[in-house]
Amino acid sequence: MTGQVDDTALMRLVDGEATARERVDIEAAAAADPALAARLSALRMSDRRLRDAFPAAADPRDVDLARLIAASSDARKTPSAWSRISGVLAPAFAPRPIAVWGALAAAAFVAGVVVAPMLDQQRTYPGTFTVADGGRIADVEAVQALDRRLAAEGPDARGYAVGLTFRDADGHWCRTFSAARSGVAGLACRQDDDWGLVALSPFVGPKSEVRTAAADTPQVVLDAVDARLSGETADAAAEKQARDAGWRQAPVG
Amino acid sequence: MDETKGARRFIHYGRGTRLDGFQTELVALLPRLRRFARVLRPADADAQDLLQQTVERALSQRGKYRPGTRLDSWTFTIMRRIAIDEGRRGQRWARVVAPEDDTTAQVPDPGLASEALRTDALLARDAIFALPSEQREAVALVLIEGLSYAEAAEVLGVPAGTLTSRLVRGRQALIERLAAEGVTG
């Protein structure tokens, strides 16, 4: 690309709104032009500062709001709804969510084991990543990424990326993913019409300009992949085919 | 390792009584709704009021929500409308965050690694509150909430080009302000 790259183009790039072509052009231009690279990095820096300044943290007052929600419409008839929802929120009320997360991570990943048995109720992890009862991933954006995203496409506009795709011994499709903005990466396997969480790990997205999907997968997630992998990971063609077929369970062969 | 064998063991769907999808998703959204409320209303008590009203209205207008569309965008839209209506009535949020305000203790995230990072986050917070509200909303929806341009434009009820230009101007102002405060890298 020649000539001036304007702020709008740079902004579209960092927001994931640029086309693949625009991205390639701007990245090439930035590689050749220190001033442009500096503008790009200033943009990313201010974005990061802004996100740091507004964490999505649980608040004790959410309990009352959740009670209000639980009491509405259909759930009004179901007395167990509230007990369920208080369980949803209780883990989030420690004064320092990060510390809770650290303890959970330490407990869960000591031997690269599976976290899902702990996830009998919904939890919201730092950022916006949400897991419903039984380990089902309830984060709509993560589910969308797992359903539709191909590894080669890299992160979407909200920072969700998919890495490895493979089948487990039962023929269920599994995929590794990362959610940079929520600060988690993990492994999810297909179960009925949902994605069940198998492993989850704190994840720090690459700080540099180049963002890749699979290269930054945390070791605990890779270990979970190894424990579950049956045969080879899918190549791009097999990944696309499985996606287009709706991630149906394949016969065990 | 029987504990870990077979995802089916621990994954249960649709069993027993549970909140419906709308309710579950709305509860899960609370932290993000509160965050957006804090962008619209810097004072903590005002943000809480705004969040409460938003939840109430979302529940009462549930019939208008189209399943399959994004609940976050829908509730952000509701919240913003309430904020605008309130703003016309009172301007009570004009009392900008004082140092002793109770939000200061909660923001930024205490998990941030260093004092310097926390200070930077406070500066970033001041910087966004210094923006005109239409730029602040655009910046919050895209940068903080992660909405696409099209989704953010819909929440704000503006054409995509308008959203883009607000975002560019808001960001330029943020960068200049942060640079002036000596926040780098």
Side-chain angles (χ1 to χ4, degrees):
Chain A
M1 180 180 279
T2 56
Q4 185 69 24
V5 179
D6 67 17
D7 282 345
T8 308
L10 290 185
M11 188 182 80
R12 287 168 50 79
L13 174 74
V14 300
D15 290 339
E17 298 270 344
T19 63
R21 179 58 199 256
E22 288 167 339
R23 194 166 63 199
V24 168
D25 284 350
I26 295 172
E27 280 169 356
D33 177 358
L36 182 59
R39 283 165 62 207
L40 205 49
S41 123
L43 195 54
R44 289 188 162 120
M45 185 275 291
S46 72
D47 287 3
R48 208 158 50 229
R49 291 283 175 265
L50 207 59
R51 282 193 281 271
D52 285 349
F54 287 91
D59 186 289
R61 290 168 293 183
D62 290 349
V63 175
D64 289 331
L65 293 168
R67 195 192 297 272
L68 184 69
I69 294 167
S72 70
S73 65
D74 300 346
R76 196 177 301 137
K77 303 179 199 73
T78 60
S80 69
W82 168 246
S83 60
R84 182 173 294 276
I85 213 161
S86 60
V88 168
L89 292 163
F93 290 151
R96 295 180 50 132
I98 296 295
V100 171
W101 165 242
L104 174 67
F109 295 126
V110 162
V113 295
V114 166
V115 294
M118 304 171 64
L119 300 173
D120 54 350
Q121 283 159 329
Q122 180 164 324
R123 288 161 189 249
T124 299
Y125 291 103
T128 60
F129 193 82
T130 309
V131 179
D133 52 0
R136 181 178 58 88
I137 295 178
D139 183 328
V140 177
E141 293 163 0
V143 169
Q144 280 172 354
L146 286 164
D147 278 345
R148 302 303 308 165
R149 203 87 188 149
L150 298 174
E153 293 170 332
D156 65 16
R158 290 172 285 276
Y160 289 88
V162 171
L164 304 168
T165 297
F166 61 92
R167 287 192 303 168
D168 69 11
D170 296 329
H172 295 112
W173 285 103
C174 298
R175 311 190 82 193
T176 65
F177 62 92
S178 59
R181 289 191 188 174
S182 304
V184 295
L187 172 65
C189 288
R190 201 70 186 153
Q191 190 70 33
D192 301 328
D193 291 326
D194 289 302
W195 290 98
L197 186 66
V198 175
L200 191 68
S201 170
F203 170 75
V204 180
K207 289 196 175 68
S208 71
E209 280 61 27
V210 185
R211 298 194 290 180
T212 56
D216 306 289
T217 307
Q219 189 58 43
V220 290
V221 176
L222 292 175
D223 290 345
V225 171
D226 283 341
R228 214 159 256 274
L229 181 63
S230 171
E232 298 289 323
T233 56
D235 60 20
E239 179 195 25
K240 186 169 185 307
Q241 194 177 13
R243 178 194 70 176
D244 294 342
W247 307 109
R248 277 199 300 273
Q249 181 180 2
V252 181
Chain B
M1 289 300 277
D2 271 356
E3 282 290 296
T4 64
K5 198 175 174 186
R8 191 175 295 127
R9 218 193 113 256
F10 48 78
I11 297 181
H12 307 286
Y13 303 99
R15 283 201 199 151
T17 308
R18 53 192 290 179
L19 297 178
D20 59 37
F22 179 89
Q23 291 167 318
T24 305
E25 221 184 317
L26 193 56
V27 171
L29 269 177
L30 288 174
R32 289 180 64 207
L33 289 172
R34 183 180 297 282
R35 176 167 62 182
F36 189 51
R38 282 186 172 138
V39 172
L40 299 174
R41 292 284 182 271
D44 184 65
D46 291 347
Q48 170 68 16
D49 284 352
L50 179 57
L51 176 57
Q52 169 96 25
Q53 290 180 61
T54 302
V55 168
E56 286 169 1
R57 194 172 296 182
L59 292 172
S60 72
Q61 299 193 345
R62 178 178 172 167
K64 294 182 182 171
Y65 171 69
R66 282 174 293 136
T69 61
R70 292 184 58 140
L71 187 62
D72 58 355
S73 297
W74 187 73
T75 42
F76 288 150
T77 308
I78 291 175
M79 181 177 284
R80 184 174 164 274
R81 282 194 195 129
I82 294 173
I84 289 173
D85 292 347
E86 286 238 315
R88 288 191 186 121
R89 278 213 303 271
Q91 292 282 331
R92 65 199 182 110
W93 62 287
R95 52 187 173 102
V96 177
V97 199
E100 66 276 16
D101 187 279
D102 52 359
T103 56
T104 310
Q106 296 168 26
V107 177
D109 192 335
L112 286 180
S114 72
E115 188 64 36
L117 270 182
R118 285 195 288 275
T119 307
D120 286 356
L122 283 176
L123 291 171
R125 195 166 176 274
D126 291 345
I128 195 175
F129 288 133
L131 295 176
S133 64
E134 73 274 10
Q135 291 177 22
R136 187 167 65 209
E137 292 166 349
V139 164
L141 289 173
V142 173
L143 298 193
I144 299 173
E145 298 303 338
L147 267 55
S148 70
Y149 289 7
E151 289 156 354
E154 197 180 333
V155 169
L156 298 176
V158 298
T162 306
L163 184 272
T164 311
S165 68
R166 286 178 185 177
L167 210 46
V168 168
R169 279 181 286 131
R171 257 163 158 165
Q172 286 166 340
L174 283 173
I175 290 174
E176 280 167 24
R177 182 162 175 141
L178 289 176
E181 300 277 4
V183 179
T184 54

